[in-house]
Structure formats: C-alpha cells, structure tokens
Amino acid sequence: DGGITQSPKYLFRKEGQNVTLSCEQNLNHDAMYWYRQDPGQGLRLIYYSQIVNDFQKGDIAEGYSVSREKKESFPLTVTSAQKNPTAFYLCASSGLGTGFGYTFGSGTRLTVV
Amino acid sequence: KNEVEQSPQNLTAQEGEFITINCSYSVGISALHWLQQHPGGGIVSLFMLSSGKKKHGRLIATINIQEKHSSLHITASHPRDSAVYICAVEPGSQGNLIFGKGTKLSVKP
C-alpha cells in the first residue's frame, strides 16, 4: 500500500546530540514537508521540498537541517542548535499544485533529556 | 491574530448528536483542508475544498470563499469520531499549509 513511513515513533536523546528523523514515501509525490506540533499550537512548517536536491525553509527552520537526495526520502536532522527540540514531528507529502491531497505520516515524538 | 481560527476549541457531545466545527481564515487561499488526528498523532486527510460542499459518509464540509469560512459537520456522531479535527489552508499554489490549532471532539456513548 502507498503511504508515508516515519521512524522511529518515539525517540529519546540527550541534550546536545544531533538526531535524524526518517521520512519515506512511496506515493511518487514530488513535494515533501516537515511540521512540528507543540501542545495547544497548530502544526508549523519547518522545511519543505518540491524537487530532488532542493528545499526551502519554513517558518521555524532554525536548528534544523534536511536533505532531499531521493524523491522518496526527506530526512530531518534536529541539531544541537535547536533550543527546544522536544516536540511531535510530522512528515507529509503531496503532489505539486492545488488539487493534490496531502498524505501524512504517523509522526515521531522526540524527547530530549 | 492567527491566520486560521477554529471554534470551538473543545467539544463534548452525546452519541447521535449533530456536530459542527467552524474554521475562519484571514488570507486568500487556493484550497482548504479538513484533517483528523487521533490519539497517537497520526493525521488523516478528510476533505480538500476550494468551493461549495463535499460529503463523505457522515461527514460534510462546506466552504464560503467570500466570507472566508468553512464548516465541518458530523451527522449521527459516534464515539469513534472522537479525535482532534484540524482546519488548514493553502495560501498559494506551492502547497504549504497554514494550520488551525484544532478542535478536540469527544463523543460520549
């Protein structure tokens, strides 16, 4: 079945360590997105990519990095520069342009201790 | 002021009740999405609208572009409808979404 796979579901890291969250899709979607969700707040865009080897910063990109070496994969690295990394992270994909629905992953809950 | 406002924030209903969740937005949009998030976090896309009305089973979504307002209705609500319902808008053609904070719905048997 087509979909988005995010792994792991839960992740614990020590403060100061970089951590990479995985996102893979087999929907042949061109666009992929990373969002962050905090309690009581709407999802906020971290980074997005519309084509391989190209990506743009979203509203809260500081302290994060991404790569898009393959169409299917859009990993997110939470660096030690991210001041408050504990959050729920969602990956999504869509076709390009209006009219292509979004597909969301099941999310990764990151806790930094 | 948030660009996407949902109301109510929390909603408790008895099984069988008709439910309405509202979404107002302040930007020009190319499409509006209604999403459902269950405990555990996974999100499912329910509707994408650019005009008019859509129906899927017991769910109905409407949008009024002139008034910048959309509603999600659930008829004959059931405890399995308990979830957070999120409104999101596409402000342009790039596909990025601006999200509301969500409405937490709890349907009691």
Side-chain angles (χ1 to χ4, degrees), chain A residues 35 37 48 50 98-99 102, chain B residues 30 37 43 48 94-96 99:
Chain A
Y35 294 95
Q37 188 176 43
Y48 68 100
Q50 295 184 316
T98 304
Y102 266 63
Chain B
S30 53
Q37 185 173 29
I43 289 182
M48 181 173 63
Q94 287 185 334
N96 300 345
F99 293 82

Side-chain angles (χ1 to χ4, degrees), chain A residues 56-88:
Chain A
Q56 280 76 43
K57 292 182 179 180
D59 301 318
I60 53 167
E62 187 176 345
Y64 299 98
S65 66
V66 293
S67 63
R68 187 87 186 275
E69 296 176 4
K70 299 186 298 181
K71 188 175 184 178
E72 305 79 29
S73 179
F74 192 40
L76 173 75
T77 297
V78 185
T79 74
S80 56
Q82 167 50 233
K83 302 231 185 302
N84 187 16
T86 295
F88 187 71

Side-chain angles (χ1 to χ4, degrees), chain A residues 86-100:
Chain A
T86 295
F88 187 71
Y89 293 88
L90 273 168
C91 178
S93 70
S94 72
L96 285 178
T98 304
F100 292 91

Side-chain angles (χ1 to χ4, degrees), chain B residues 71-90:
Chain B
S71 293
L72 176 69
H73 307 285
I74 304 175
T75 62
S77 61
H78 190 276
R80 65 175 174 266
D81 296 326
S82 298
V84 175
Y85 291 84
I86 301 171
C87 171
V89 300
E90 283 187 52

Side-chain angles (χ1 to χ4, degrees), chain A:
Chain A
D1 282 339
I4 295 182
T5 301
Q6 279 190 250
S7 61
K9 194 171 176 71
Y10 299 95
L11 191 55
F12 295 86
R13 276 295 181 268
K14 289 185 178 178
E15 197 171 338
Q17 288 183 334
N18 291 357
V19 59
T20 297
L21 311 184
S22 168
C23 179
E24 306 273 335
Q25 54 100 358
N26 59 3
L27 300 161
N28 201 33
H29 281 168
D30 290 295
M32 296 187 75
Y33 312 84
W34 274 106
Y35 294 95
R36 171 180 169 137
Q37 188 176 43
D38 293 286
Q41 292 200 42
L43 288 151
R44 292 180 291 167
L45 182 66
I46 304 172
Y47 268 99
Y48 68 100
S49 167
Q50 295 184 316
I51 195 168
V52 173
N53 292 324
D54 189 41
F55 46 82
Q56 280 76 43
K57 292 182 179 180
D59 301 318
I60 53 167
E62 187 176 345
Y64 299 98
S65 66
V66 293
S67 63
R68 187 87 186 275
E69 296 176 4
K70 299 186 298 181
K71 188 175 184 178
E72 305 79 29
S73 179
F74 192 40
L76 173 75
T77 297
V78 185
T79 74
S80 56
Q82 167 50 233
K83 302 231 185 302
N84 187 16
T86 295
F88 187 71
Y89 293 88
L90 273 168
C91 178
S93 70
S94 72
L96 285 178
T98 304
F100 292 91
Y102 266 63
T103 302
F104 287 87
S106 55
T108 294
R109 187 166 299 279
L110 173 65
T111 303
V112 175
V113 297

